[in-house]
Amino acid sequence: MRVIHEPSELPKEGCNFVPTMGALHEGHSALIQEANNSHLPVVVSIFVNPTQFAPNEDFEAYPRMLDQDIEIAKAAGAEVVFAPTAEVVYEKEMNDIPLPKVATEPKLEDASRPTHFHGVCNVVARLFDFANPVNAFFGEKDYQQLKVIEAMVRQESRWGDLEIVAVPTARGIDGIALSSRNAYLSSEERMQARAIVHALSIGCEHGMMALLVEAGLDVDYAVIRDADSLLAPIEGCPRRAIIAAKVGSTRLIDNGELP
Ligand code: AMP
C-alpha cells in the first residue's frame, strides 16, 4: 500500500474512492472492504477538513492518528492512502458548488450546522476532481450527507458516470453506531447513548423524543422523514428515523430505516 500526499501521485486509471477524516474504525473498514470488490484500486483519503467545522466545533480536538489509520486502511484492503495538507486541497481556485435542496431544506444538520454542507460539498468536489473515481463510498451513518452527495453528483456533470455507493451503518455490540466521536464518551455516557438506538425503532416522533429526554439526552432533533428528500414523510414511500442529540458535551447523530 502506498501513502501519498500529492494529487499527482493518485492512480490515473480511475479508482474506488473512500473519503474520510481519519480516526478510522470498523465503520470505515466496512466502506473500504465494500470498495475492494472489483479490479479498481481502492483509494482512501484522510483529511480533516477545516471548512466543514464551525468555529465552536471540535476541529482542533478532532482525533488525528495517521500511523494507526494507515494500518487499518491497509488491513481493510486499500491500495493507496491519500493524506493531503489543507494547502494542497485548497490550492486551486474552484467555483462554489451550488447546494442541492437536501442540503438546505430539511432543517436537520443544515439547521444545526449552517455552514457544514457547504464545507462538505466543496471538499468532496475537490477530492473527486483529484481522484476522478469510478465509484465513491459513503456511510449511511451520515444519512443527510449521503443524500447531499448523491444529489450533488446528479447535479454536476463533471465526474461522468461516478456512482455513489451507500454502505450500511456499522454498530458496536450495544447497537451504538461507530463514530470517531465516540472516543469522547465516558462509560456512563455510552450507556446513555443506547437510548438513541432504541428511539430509532419506535416509529413515532413523540415517543422518540420522550425516550431520549427520559434518558437525559439533550435532543437537537428526533424526526421521521421521507428517506430520499428528508422532508415530511409521504404515504407509501420509504421513511427514515433521524436523530441528533448531545450526550454530555458530545453530539451524536444516527438514523435508521423504518418499516
Ligand atoms: P468521517 O471520517 O466521519 O468523515 O466518515 C467517513 C465516511 O465513513 C463517511 O462516509 C461516513 O458516513 C462513514 N462512516 C462513519 N461512521 C460509519 C459507520 N459507523 N458505519 C458506516 N459508515 C460510517
Side-chain angles (χ1 to χ4, degrees):
M1 192 187 73
R2 292 189 297 134
V3 180
I4 62 171
H5 305 281
E6 296 293 332
S8 60
E9 298 169 287
L10 283 160
K12 304 278 180 291
E13 69 280 16
C15 64
N16 278 354
F17 184 48
V18 183
T20 82
M21 299 204 300
L24 301 186
H25 50 62
E26 283 170 35
H28 299 108
S29 297
L31 264 65
I32 299 167
Q33 282 157 8
E34 184 70 30
N36 201 7
N37 63 1
S38 72
H39 61 285
L40 291 166
V42 177
V43 175
V44 177
S45 67
I46 297 181
F47 178 60
V48 186
N49 174 38
T51 70
Q52 71 191 68
F53 291 79
N56 63 332
E57 292 180 350
D58 57 347
F59 174 68
E60 296 296 342
Y62 199 83
R64 289 165 173 84
M65 43 190 81
L66 185 60
D67 290 345
Q68 186 183 308
D69 288 346
I70 288 168
E71 291 310 313
I72 293 174
K74 189 173 166 185
E79 192 153 309
V80 175
V81 163
F82 173 50
T85 62
E87 286 69 29
V88 164
V89 172
Y90 289 105
E91 188 175 77
K92 285 215 180 82
E93 288 274 321
M94 188 189 92
N95 288 337
D96 259 11
I97 298 286
L99 290 186
K101 284 182 179 175
V102 70
T104 58
E105 290 185 348
K107 300 296 167 238
L108 300 172
E109 290 305 279
D110 48 317
S112 308
R113 309 179 70 190
T115 58
H116 179 65
F117 288 126
H118 181 267
V120 168
C121 284
N122 283 284
V123 78
V124 171
R126 283 168 183 268
L127 294 171
F128 284 172
D129 285 349
F130 290 147
N132 198 22
V134 176
N135 301 290
F137 297 75
F138 288 83
E140 288 184 349
K141 158 73 171 49
D142 301 279
Y143 194 76
Q144 190 176 6
Q145 168 175 281
L146 167 67
K147 293 291 143 187
V148 167
I149 300 296
E150 285 175 352
M152 175 180 85
V153 168
R154 278 199 299 271
Q155 164 188 294
E156 301 287 311
S157 54
R158 66 186 203 256
W159 302 300
D161 293 330
L162 167 60
E163 194 86 43
I164 300 300
V165 181
V167 180
T169 303
R171 298 178 179 280
I173 41 171
D174 53 7
I176 296 173
L178 301 181
S179 162
S180 307
R181 290 191 171 96
N182 290 354
Y184 303 149
L185 298 174
S186 68
S187 53
E188 204 173 304
E189 288 171 339
R190 183 140 188 135
M191 284 296 289
Q192 266 182 295
R194 288 181 181 207
I196 295 177
V197 187
H198 296 149
L200 286 174
S201 60
I202 288 180
C204 130
E205 291 187 351
H206 279 304
M208 292 165 75
M209 185 62 103
L211 193 146
L212 294 167
V213 170
E214 174 68 22
L217 274 64
D218 178 4
V219 182
D220 191 349
Y221 53 80
V223 296
I224 295 171
R225 295 292 179 85
D226 176 77
D228 203 40
S229 69
L230 305 190
L231 300 175
I234 303 166
E235 185 77 37
C237 293
R239 301 176 308 154
R240 202 94 191 169
I242 313 178
I243 293 173
K246 268 187 168 176
V247 186
S249 56
T250 306
R251 186 171 183 278
L252 300 178
I253 59 171
D254 202 352
N255 67 89
E257 207 175 346
L258 286 175

